[in-house]
């Protein structure tokens, strides 16, 4: 494997060589130094892109995102659909409406459907299993990904047996004290981590990730996040900048940094060369070229929205979210052009991890 080095300055008089593309043995101090400066970004992004091209070529996988409920029993302080937001109009899609989204998506070339929603107990295990089974029966060549939060082991197992292939559950922060500052006492980082371990144990392709630039976040927290991911070994890693929402307690905090998010995408590509890493909607919301920059930093997944246009603005995790008014076909065509102009190509595939 080719090695490229760059000088990492922990102190002005201290220089160490950090071999990019072989970052498994990097120390916490070296990792922190890399995250805190932009002087190595060009080499970092080039190295990350070279690694993703070696494994995935120029392929970018599309996932059809279906945001099927904005009800949530949790009250996370950063989230626009938190249960404490009493001014947000709420909605739930019926199983038939979800299937209609899948029909549209399949005809547009999507081969993975991501069912994402708040933690909404209305969708019982029975209802979710029926939806999963219907999708897999109608489209056996497609993957079903769930992103519906913390559930019991038996629930996860039932979803897996019904045909779900992947599960996304971002841990958001791996530091206990930081987690406490972002969530109410009813929520537990220990339980979050246990859910992720359960998903891996059951056999899901599991995904985790964290916010970049969330309130009270320090570099040491980001290092902890990366170390937790190394322990978990997820197939998918989703990160994005923290973006404020006007109806949350964090409305007056500043947004996360585009530059730091891109730097972290590149680091994650180098440390997890086979991972599926999305260029998120949040990246595109914080900068008009954010998703393209994410691809150039090592990301290889994009997630156009298949939700009905009538409800998109109501799935309001943060302010100024993009693509809330575009039809699914428009969203896909627009994104496809952007991906191609960035030097990559969208492929029609389930987009499983390559190892």
């Amino acid at each position: 494997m080719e090695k490229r080095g760059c000088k990492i300055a922990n102190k002005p008089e201290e220089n160490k060589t950090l071999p990019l593309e072989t970052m498994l043995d990097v120390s916490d101090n070296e990792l922190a130094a890399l995250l805190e400066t932009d002087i190595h970004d060009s080499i970092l992004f080039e190295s990350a892109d070279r690694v993703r091209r070696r494994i995935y070529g120029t392929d970018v996988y599309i996932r059809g995102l279906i945001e099927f409920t904005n009800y949530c029993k949790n009250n996370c302080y950063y989230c626009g659909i938190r249960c404490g937001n009493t001014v947000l109009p709420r909605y739930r899609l019926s199983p038939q409406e979800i299937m209609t989204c899948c029909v549209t998506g399949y005809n547009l070339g999507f081969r993975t459907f991501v069912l994402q929603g708040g933690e909404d107990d209305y969708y019982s295990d029975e209802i979710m299993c029926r939806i999963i089974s219907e999708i897999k029966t109608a489209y056996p060549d497609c993957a079903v990904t769930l992103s519906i939060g913390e559930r019991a082991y038996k629930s996860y197992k039932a979803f897996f047996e019904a045909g779900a292939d992947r599960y996304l559950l971002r841990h958001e922060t791996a530091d206990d004290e930081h987690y406490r500052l972002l969530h109410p006492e009813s929520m537990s980082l220990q339980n979050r981590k246990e859910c992720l371990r359960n998903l891996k144990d059951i056999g899901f392709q599991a995904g985790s990730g964290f916010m970049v630039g969330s309130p009270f976040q320090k570099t040491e927290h980001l290092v902890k996040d990366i170390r937790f991911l190394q322990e978990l070994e997820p197939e998918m890693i989703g990160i994005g900048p923290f973006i404020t929402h006007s109806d949350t307690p964090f409305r007056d905090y500043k947004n996360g940094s585009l530059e730091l998010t891109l730097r972290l995408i590149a680091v994650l590509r180098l440390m997890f060369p086979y991972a599926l890493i999305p260029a998120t909607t949040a990246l595109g919301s914080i900068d008009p070229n954010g998703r393209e920059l994410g691809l150039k930093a090592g990301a290889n997944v994009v997630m156009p929205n298949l939700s009905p246009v009538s409800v998109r603005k109501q799935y309001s995790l943060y302010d100024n979210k993009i693509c809330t008014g575009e039809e699914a076909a428009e969203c896909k065509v627009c994104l496809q052009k952007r991906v191609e102009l960035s030097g990559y190509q969208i492929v029609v595939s389930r987009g499983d991890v390559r190892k």
Side-chain angles (χ1 to χ4, degrees):
M1 180 182 296
E2 178 189 2
K3 296 184 180 181
R4 290 175 62 91
C6 67
K7 295 293 185 181
I8 302 300
N10 294 320
K11 297 178 182 178
E13 71 277 7
E14 249 179 58
N15 283 321
K16 294 184 179 181
T17 298
L18 178 64
L20 300 181
E21 301 182 38
T22 56
M23 291 185 64
L24 295 181
D25 297 325
V26 66
S27 71
D28 286 357
N29 286 340
E30 289 172 326
L31 188 52
L34 186 63
L35 295 179
E36 289 177 343
T37 179
D38 62 0
I39 60 176
H40 308 296
D41 281 359
S42 61
I43 296 176
L44 187 64
F45 298 154
E46 289 169 9
S47 299
D49 188 52
R50 186 161 48 250
V51 167
R52 65 78 54 82
R53 286 176 185 267
R54 186 173 66 235
I55 297 168
Y56 289 101
T58 59
D59 290 353
V60 173
Y61 301 124
I62 52 171
R63 315 299 200 202
L65 182 62
I66 304 171
E67 297 163 335
F68 67 96
T69 175
N70 72 346
Y71 282 85
C72 189
K73 65 183 181 183
N74 293 330
N75 207 24
C76 305
Y77 304 145
Y78 50 82
C79 183
I81 67 170
R82 61 198 298 267
C83 64
N85 183 359
T86 58
V87 300
L88 177 70
R90 303 287 176 168
Y91 74 90
R92 293 184 175 110
L93 297 186
S94 68
Q96 184 54 50
E97 287 174 314
I98 293 171
M99 286 304 299
T100 298
C101 294
C102 293
V103 171
T104 299
Y106 192 86
N107 291 336
L108 289 171
F110 291 88
R111 294 299 179 265
T112 291
F113 301 115
V114 181
L115 305 185
Q116 178 174 293
E119 295 199 18
D120 184 359
D121 289 337
Y122 171 85
Y123 293 91
S124 64
D125 291 358
E126 180 182 357
I127 292 174
M128 287 307 305
C129 286
R130 186 164 67 247
I131 293 170
I132 295 163
S133 179
E134 286 182 12
I135 295 173
K136 294 293 285 191
T137 298
Y139 305 110
D141 57 331
C142 292
V144 172
T145 300
L146 302 179
S147 182
I148 54 176
E150 299 175 13
R151 298 261 185 155
Y153 186 99
K154 66 177 183 179
S155 300
Y156 288 150
K157 191 168 180 60
F159 301 156
F160 186 74
E161 291 174 348
D165 303 275
R166 306 172 183 140
Y167 203 105
L168 305 175
L169 182 65
R170 300 204 317 186
H171 66 272
E172 302 300 6
T173 176
D175 181 86
D176 285 290
E177 291 185 11
H178 189 214
Y179 191 90
R180 275 278 61 77
L181 294 171
L182 303 179
H183 302 88
E185 290 185 7
S186 58
M187 299 182 68
S188 158
L189 177 58
Q190 180 180 356
N191 188 64
R192 198 79 163 181
K193 289 181 175 179
E194 185 64 22
C195 285
L196 283 161
R197 295 185 182 105
N198 287 342
L199 291 165
K200 292 280 290 186
D201 179 68
I202 289 167
F204 277 101
Q205 296 175 43
S208 190
F210 52 90
M211 287 182 292
V212 180
S214 57
F216 317 111
Q217 187 179 73
K218 302 175 183 177
T219 302
E220 64 194 63
H221 298 148
L222 294 172
V223 173
K224 257 189 177 179
D225 288 323
I226 293 170
R227 296 309 185 204
F228 172 66
L229 291 174
Q230 286 184 300
E231 172 195 334
L232 182 66
E233 297 182 336
E235 285 78 14
M236 301 164 286
I237 302 174
I239 69 169
F242 163 75
I243 304 177
T244 59
H245 190 288
S246 56
D247 297 319
T248 70
F250 292 155
R251 65 179 67 86
D252 295 324
Y253 284 77
K254 70 176 185 178
N255 291 336
S257 161
L258 170 71
E259 292 74 17
L260 180 55
T261 305
L262 295 174
R263 199 173 302 141
L264 279 157
I265 288 174
V267 167
L268 291 168
R269 171 58 63 203
L270 295 171
M271 299 187 81
F272 303 87
Y274 295 95
L276 298 167
I277 302 176
T280 62
T281 302
L283 267 178
S285 298
I286 206 168
D287 185 279
N289 298 310
R291 286 180 295 188
E292 293 92 321
L293 293 171
L295 294 174
K296 291 180 179 179
N300 64 333
V301 174
V302 291
M303 298 172 64
N305 203 325
L306 292 178
S307 308
V309 173
S310 60
V311 301
R312 288 192 196 175
K313 289 183 179 179
Q314 295 169 43
Y315 199 82
S316 176
L317 303 179
Y318 48 82
D319 288 339
N320 302 314
K321 184 179 176 185
I322 59 171
C323 299
T324 56
E326 294 179 339
E327 295 288 349
E330 295 173 332
C331 200
K332 190 215 171 183
V333 169
C334 173
L335 195 52
Q336 186 164 356
K337 289 179 180 177
R338 286 173 169 265
V339 168
E340 290 173 355
L341 287 172
S342 300
Y344 307 97
Q345 61 175 351
I346 285 180
V347 294
V348 176
S349 166
R350 282 171 47 110
D352 291 309
V353 175
R354 296 181 187 173
K355 289 190 177 180

